[in-house]
Amino acid sequence: MIRTGLSTIALAMALAGPAQAQQAAAPTAAQADAFVKRATAELNQFALDDARIQWVYATYINDDTAALVAKSQAEGTEMSVRFALEAAKFARVSGLSPDTQRQLDILRNGITSPAPTRAGAAAALSKLQTDMQTVYGTGKGTLKGEPINGSDIEAAMGTSRDPAELKEMWTSWHDNVGAPQRSDYQRSVGLLNEGSRELGFKDTGTMWRSNYDMAPDEFARLTDKMWAEVKPLYQALHTFVRWKLNEKYGDAVQPATGPIRSDLLGNMWAQEWGNIYDIVAPQGAGDLGYDLTDLLKAQGYDALKMVRTGEAFYSSLGFAPLPESFWKRSQFVKPADREVQCHASAWNLDNVDDLRIKMCIKVNGDDFKVIQHELGHNYYQRAYNKLPLLYRTGANDGFHEAIGDFAALSITPDYLVKVGLLDESKVPGEDKDVGLLLREAMDKVAFLPFGLLIDKWRWGVFSGGIPATGYQGAWDALRLQYQGIKPPVARDETRFDPGAKYHIPANVPYTRYFLARLLQFQFYKAACDQAGWTGPLHRCSFYDNAEVGKKLNAMLEMGASKPWPDALEAFTGSREMSGAALVEYFAPLKAWLDEQNKGKPTGW
C-alpha cells in the first residue's frame, strides 16, 4: 500500500482555492494556468503537515493522535472539495494546454473521500473514518479464548490446521472488528455520495472509476474483460484446492463439492492461499527443496537485514540507495509499548525524498516479499519527484501496486543463490516446476477475484444497488460468486464483515490491487524479454540487469504526467492492460491442474 504527503486527500491531492478566486465572468486559459500554479503551492504547504500527523497516528494510536488526524483529515477534505469545484469551472475553457487540462482533471477526479460543502460535513466524515480506522487498528480476535491482536491473528491463521481454532479466530475477528463499524460506515457512505454529487458525479463509485483515463463504465467493462481472461485458471485452482482440503479435513469440515470454507485457506480474508501450500503440495514435486522462511532464519536475518536485501535488489538495477533518513524514520517492527497500524505501507512524507515504510516485520518468506513490494512504492515515489506536484503519483493506482510485486517475481531460486540465501545444490530442478508454480498461484491467482469483488461491493453500495439493509448479504453473495467461498458460520445483517478488511474502514479503493496482479506479470514479461531470457518465464530473474533498470526508471519517471497507456507502452510496448502474461506464466500449471481435476466437479 502507498501513502504519500498527499495521502489524506484522494491518496493524491487536495486543497482549497480562496473564495475570491471564483470568477463571475467566463474563466480563461490564463486564469486556469494561474489556478493550477496557486493550487500546487498551497497543496505543497498543507500536505507535509498532514502527512506528519498521519504518520504519528499510524505509528502511535491513542485518543490524542486520533483527534489530530481527524481534524487534519477534515481540513483536507473541505479543501479538496472546494478545490475540485473550482477546477471544474475550467472544464470547458478553450485554449487550455494539455498539461493544464490534465492537472485540472486530476484535481477534480482524484478525490477518494469527497465531503459535502455544508458546514460540519467534512468534520463529521473525518471523525467517522478515523473512528473506524481506530476500531480496526486496535481490534483483537481470540485464540483459545485469549485476546490476540491483528498482526498475530493473521499469522496464526496461516499456521493453524485446527478447524475449530480457525473458526474461532475468523469469527472473533470479523465480529469484534467488522460489526462495530456498520452504522458508521452507512453514515459515511451517505456523506461521500453527497459530496460526489456536488462534484457532478452520480455517486462515489463513479467518481473513483473516472480516474482511469477512460469513461467510468468503460473501465468497469475492462476489469470484467480481464477477469474473464484469468477466470479459467482460478477455477482450476479452486477445484484442486477444494479436493485437497476435503482429503485433509473430510466432508464434515470441507465437502467435496460447492464452495470452500473461507477460514481453511490460510488467510483471514481468504485472499491468498499460499500458507496452506503444505496441504495441497503435489506428490514428488511438492517439496521445493527449500523454505524461504527457514533460509532467512538459518542465515540470521532480522527485520533490518531483510529490508537491506530488498534495497540491494533495486540497487542492482541501477537505482540509487535509499536516503539515510529512511533507515532512521521507518517503522520496521511492532513497538512493544503502544498500538500501531501494522498494515504494511510505503510513505513519502514530503513528496520528495522523505521515504519510509511502516511494517511490523516478521522473519518469514511472506514479509521478505512484502518488503520488496513496499520498496517498489518508494523507488517509484522518488523517480517522479521532480515532476509538477500533481503528477507525483502512479500512471494509475494499479501501476504503483504492481512495481514492487513485479520485482518480487524475480525472487527465484537463482536469485536466492546470488544473494547467498540458497546453496546452488539446492536449486529445484525442472521436475519441481509444478510445485513452484502452484505455490506462486496460491497467492497470485487466488487473489484475483478478491481483488475485484471488494470494489464491486463498494460500487454497488455507493450506487444504491446494495442497500444498507443488505450489506452483509451482498458481501457474502459476491464472495460466493467470484471466489467460490463461504464463511465458516452463518452471517446476518447484524454483522459487517467488509469492515474486517483494512481498506474498507480506511476508504482505500481496491481495484488497484486487481490491476496490479495483472500488470506485474506484464511488467515482468517485458523485463525478461529485455534481459534476453529464453527459459520458462517463471524461472526468469532480472536481478543485476542495469538495462532493465534504466528502461523501468524511464517509465517510473513519467509518474501521472501522461495517460497510463503511454506509461505502459514505454516499458512493455503495449497500450492495453491484459491478463495474457499471467496466463502465459502459469500455463504449465494450468495444464497440470486440468489433468489432476479430470472427473472432479468444477465450480460451486
Side-chain angles (χ1 to χ4, degrees):
M1 178 181 173
I2 177 177
R3 295 298 295 263
T4 75
L6 306 173
S7 59
T8 298
I9 27 197
L11 295 175
M13 65 290 305
L15 67 122
Q20 62 265 33
Q22 298 178 6
Q23 301 297 319
T28 66
Q31 288 169 340
D33 293 340
F35 165 66
V36 169
K37 183 177 180 180
R38 170 174 55 80
T40 300
E42 292 184 29
L43 171 58
N44 207 23
Q45 183 177 359
F46 174 82
L48 179 57
D49 286 344
D50 176 71
R52 285 173 172 159
I53 292 169
Q54 295 281 341
W55 176 263
V56 172
Y57 169 68
T59 59
Y60 207 121
I61 300 173
N62 60 32
D63 291 343
D64 295 323
T65 58
L68 288 171
V69 81
K71 182 175 182 291
S72 185
Q73 285 181 339
E75 292 171 355
T77 300
E78 286 179 334
M79 290 192 296
S80 70
V81 171
R82 295 199 304 270
F83 198 21
L85 287 168
E86 190 169 355
K89 294 177 181 178
F90 297 99
R92 298 183 180 179
V93 171
S94 61
L96 293 175
S97 70
D99 240 12
T100 296
Q101 181 66 68
R102 184 162 183 79
Q103 290 181 75
L104 289 170
D105 289 344
I106 288 172
L107 289 168
R108 177 173 178 264
N109 299 343
I111 302 175
T112 300
S113 294
T117 54
R118 59 184 170 82
L125 177 60
S126 180
K127 186 177 188 308
L128 288 169
Q129 293 181 333
T130 302
D131 287 351
M132 288 188 289
Q133 289 182 68
T134 298
V135 169
Y136 188 94
T138 60
K140 291 179 172 61
T142 65
L143 176 58
K144 298 179 181 177
E146 297 297 321
I148 180 171
N149 67 38
S151 62
D152 291 340
I153 200 171
E154 188 173 346
M157 287 289 291
T159 56
S160 176
R161 298 294 180 262
D162 183 329
E165 288 184 358
L166 292 167
K167 180 189 291 186
E168 177 195 0
M169 287 189 286
W170 189 98
T171 305
S172 62
W173 177 260
H174 284 79
D175 286 354
N176 295 349
V177 175
Q181 300 176 39
R182 182 175 177 126
S183 61
D184 281 354
Y185 189 78
Q186 180 181 346
R187 288 195 291 272
S188 74
V189 168
L191 290 169
L192 289 167
N193 273 342
E194 187 181 342
S196 297
R197 287 191 291 269
E198 287 184 7
L199 292 170
F201 297 95
K202 289 189 298 184
D203 56 65
T204 303
T206 303
M207 170 177 273
W208 286 4
R209 296 193 301 277
S210 72
N211 205 29
Y212 287 96
D213 297 306
M214 59 176 61
D217 290 346
E218 183 185 359
F219 176 71
R221 287 193 294 272
L222 174 61
T223 62
D224 289 338
K225 175 177 177 291
M226 291 189 290
W227 167 239
E229 290 180 292
V230 298
K231 183 179 178 181
L233 175 59
Y234 176 79
Q235 287 185 318
L237 180 67
H238 181 283
T239 299
F240 181 75
V241 169
R242 180 179 58 197
W243 163 45
K244 287 293 188 178
L245 288 171
N246 174 256
E247 274 191 339
K248 179 171 180 62
Y249 293 116
D251 291 344
V253 174
Q254 175 55 60
T257 61
I260 296 174
R261 201 178 105 174
S262 61
D263 60 323
L264 303 178
L265 289 164
N267 177 273
M268 181 62 75
W269 308 278
Q271 67 182 63
E272 292 170 330
W273 306 347
N275 286 327
I276 63 161
Y277 177 73
D278 59 294
I279 295 175
V280 305
Q283 189 172 7
D287 180 7
L288 305 182
Y290 71 91
D291 179 274
L292 183 51
T293 297
D294 292 343
L295 295 178
L296 292 166
K297 291 179 177 178
Q299 294 277 349
Y301 271 66
D302 58 13
L304 188 60
K305 189 172 182 180
M306 289 168 70
V307 181
R308 289 284 186 188
T309 304
E311 178 193 42
F313 179 90
Y314 290 94
S315 295
S316 80
L317 302 179
F319 290 93
L322 293 164
E324 187 59 32
S325 60
F326 171 88
W327 304 101
K328 293 179 179 178
R329 298 171 182 171
S330 291
Q331 174 189 291
F332 297 126
V333 297
K334 188 181 189 302
D337 63 340
R338 61 186 188 269
E339 296 286 356
V340 301
Q341 288 180 357
C342 281
H343 184 85
S345 55
W347 300 60
N348 185 359
L349 270 75
D350 65 358
N351 295 297
V352 182
D353 58 7
D354 190 353
L355 306 171
R356 310 180 191 184
I357 62 171
K358 174 187 62 61
M359 291 184 64
C360 300
I361 296 171
K362 298 181 185 296
V363 180
N364 60 43
D366 284 345
D367 277 6
F368 189 75
K369 293 181 179 180
V370 170
I371 289 166
Q372 195 90 318
H373 169 92
E374 299 303 337
L375 292 183
H377 286 307
N378 286 146
Y379 284 98
Y380 203 167
Q381 289 164 333
R382 187 169 64 179
Y384 54 58
N385 69 6
K386 294 181 176 61
L387 292 174
L389 190 66
L390 297 177
Y391 291 153
R392 294 183 197 176
T393 187
N396 68 39
D397 52 12
F399 274 64
H400 235 303
E401 297 299 333
I403 294 303
D405 279 346
F406 118 89
L409 286 172
S410 211
I411 300 177
T412 61
D414 287 344
Y415 163 77
L416 296 175
V417 170
K418 289 178 181 177
V419 299
L421 271 168
L422 180 64
D423 187 276
E424 192 166 5
S425 65
K426 298 288 183 67
V427 173
E430 290 184 9
D431 61 318
K432 304 294 186 183
D433 276 6
V434 166
L436 287 167
L437 286 168
L438 179 59
R439 177 62 183 84
E440 195 76 41
M442 295 286 283
D443 286 340
K444 301 293 187 182
V445 177
F447 177 84
L448 291 168
F450 183 80
L452 187 62
L453 73 85
I454 294 280
D455 280 350
K456 288 276 189 183
W457 179 82
R458 276 193 290 204
W459 294 347
V461 168
F462 289 136
S463 72
I466 296 173
T469 55
Y471 282 172
Q472 183 66 42
W475 176 260
D476 290 338
L478 283 167
R479 299 201 76 185
L480 179 62
Q481 176 186 348
Y482 283 96
Q483 286 185 282
I485 66 168
K486 67 175 184 178
V489 294
R491 313 304 283 164
D492 59 33
E493 291 301 332
T494 66
R495 310 302 176 185
F496 185 60
D497 291 351
K501 176 62 181 172
Y502 171 81
H503 300 75
I504 300 296
N507 203 45
V508 177
Y510 209 78
T511 306
R512 63 186 63 184
Y513 302 104
F514 173 74
L515 300 179
R517 277 299 202 273
L518 302 180
L519 281 168
Q520 64 185 264
F521 286 94
Q522 280 191 268
F523 294 158
Y524 179 72
K525 177 172 170 53
C528 292
D529 288 346
Q530 293 161 23
W533 179 258
T534 57
L537 185 56
H538 65 276
R539 289 268 181 170
C540 165
S541 177
F542 51 87
Y543 172 74
D544 206 23
N545 191 306
E547 285 304 308
V548 170
K550 183 177 179 181
K551 195 160 186 178
L552 172 63
N553 192 57
M555 178 180 72
L556 302 185
E557 286 179 335
M558 294 171 69
S561 63
K562 302 291 182 185
W564 64 259
D566 292 355
L568 183 64
E569 186 177 31
F571 187 59
T572 69
S574 172
R575 296 181 62 82
E576 294 185 8
M577 289 189 288
S578 166
L582 180 145
V583 170
E584 177 184 343
Y585 183 97
F586 288 108
L589 175 65
K590 176 63 162 60
W592 182 85
L593 287 172
D594 288 345
E595 190 65 29
Q596 302 302 307
N597 291 337
K598 279 184 177 178
K600 297 181 177 65
T602 297
W604 46 86

